[in-house]
């Protein structure tokens, strides 16, 4: 275990097993649709890689990088990297690492509909329900986590720890 990790919340084995379950669920849900996975950089990368291999359908993948901030009266997202493939009339599934306040996903969902997506849904590895400040929920959730700062498997603190194969709680001394 990494020296800055206080406790492992979700092991590598648990993540792999859950990806298989979610993959089956998604394969069934999207079997008669036109699936495009859109991963939000950078946190979703490990989850995207593992999850896509568990979906037994023809699909396309793309990535977006957004930074979200509060504007004067609404949440705005700045697009650092936009999608490259056309999503017009496609069924889009956003792949995210964690949903906390819900603001980032609220803005990204709106943005993808404005680009002509037929349907936009969300799969998130982690859900922190206690953090929510807007009415936004994921359609498919890997694991619920408590209101603690978690790292690993894509999730960072100051760009560090994304390469850990598990999800853990960061030690207070490391912050
Ligand atoms: P929100 O739902 O708009 O608050 O934003 C979610 C984003 O905040 C995620 O994509 C992460 O990048 C980041 N985030 C939220 N909670 C955590 C955490 O516990 N560890 C690492 N990043 C987090
Ligand atoms: Mg993120």
């Amino acid at each position: 275990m990494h020296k800055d990790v206080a406790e492992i919340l979700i092991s590598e084995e648990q993540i792999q097993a859950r990806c298989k379950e979610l993959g089956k669920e998604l394969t069934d849900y999207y079997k008669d649709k036109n699936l495009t996975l859109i991963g939000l950089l950078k946190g979703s990368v490990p989850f995207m890689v593992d999850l896509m291999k568990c979906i037994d359908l023809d699909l396309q993948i793309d990535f977006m990088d957004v930074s979200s901030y509060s504007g004067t009266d609404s949440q705005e997202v700045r697009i650092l990297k936009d999608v490259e493939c056309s999503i017009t009339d496609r069924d889009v599934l956003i792949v995210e690492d964690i949903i906390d306040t819900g603001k980032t996903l609220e803005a990204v969902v709106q943005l993808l509909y404005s680009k002509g997506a037929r349907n936009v849904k969300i799969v998130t590895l982690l859900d922190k329900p206690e953090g929510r400040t807007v009415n936004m929920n994921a359609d498919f959730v890997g694991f619920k986590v408590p209101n603690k700062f978690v790292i690993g498997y894509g999730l960072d603190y100051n760009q560090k720890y994304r390469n850990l194969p598990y999800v853990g709680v960061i030690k207070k001394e490391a912050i």
Side-chain angles (χ1 to χ4, degrees):
M1 187 160 89
H2 193 286
K3 64 171 174 49
D4 296 342
V5 172
E7 111 191 72
I8 293 180
L9 282 185
I10 308 162
S11 71
E12 190 172 0
E13 292 73 25
Q14 285 174 297
I15 295 171
Q16 297 309 323
R18 190 72 185 112
C19 281
K20 285 196 180 128
E21 288 173 0
L22 283 171
K24 284 204 183 97
E25 213 180 312
L26 293 169
T27 301
D28 188 48
Y29 183 81
Y30 285 102
K31 64 176 182 285
D32 300 316
K33 301 185 172 72
N34 264 320
L35 178 59
T36 298
L37 300 176
I38 296 185
L40 301 188
L41 294 171
K42 308 168 188 157
S44 72
V45 168
F47 184 43
M48 174 73 123
V49 167
D50 287 337
L51 183 67
M52 65 187 267
K53 290 183 282 184
C54 299
I55 303 175
D56 187 17
L57 296 172
D58 291 330
L59 54 81
Q60 57 181 32
I61 69 163
D62 208 338
F63 291 94
M64 275 185 95
D65 194 1
V66 298
S67 79
S68 121
Y69 58 96
S70 297
T72 43
D73 54 2
S74 67
Q75 188 69 18
E76 296 176 49
V77 285
R78 197 155 54 99
I79 302 173
L80 306 174
K81 186 218 167 288
D82 207 344
V83 284
E84 283 159 30
C85 60
S86 165
I87 55 165
T88 308
D89 292 329
R90 303 272 316 183
D91 300 286
V92 171
L93 180 63
I94 300 170
V95 181
E96 178 59 312
D97 52 0
I98 186 167
I99 173 166
D100 184 17
T101 66
K103 287 178 174 178
T104 307
L105 283 169
E106 185 180 52
V108 172
V109 167
Q110 277 179 21
L111 201 84
L112 293 172
Y113 273 121
S114 77
K115 285 176 175 288
R118 176 162 48 200
N119 184 264
V120 180
K121 295 210 179 286
I122 298 161
V123 59
T124 186
L125 175 72
L126 306 176
D127 183 4
K128 220 190 251 186
E130 291 165 61
R132 211 73 91 254
T133 59
V134 295
N135 184 21
M136 174 58 53
N137 283 300
D139 302 281
F140 305 91
V141 174
F143 302 90
K144 281 191 181 163
V145 289
N147 207 5
K148 290 180 178 173
F149 197 84
V150 293
I151 51 168
Y153 198 72
L155 293 129
D156 73 303
Y157 175 70
N158 281 345
Q159 300 301 326
K160 237 174 118 174
Y161 313 114
R162 294 192 196 274
N163 57 320
L164 302 182
Y166 50 80
V167 173
V169 179
I170 192 167
K171 279 186 185 163
K172 286 200 184 76
E173 309 90 272
I175 295 182

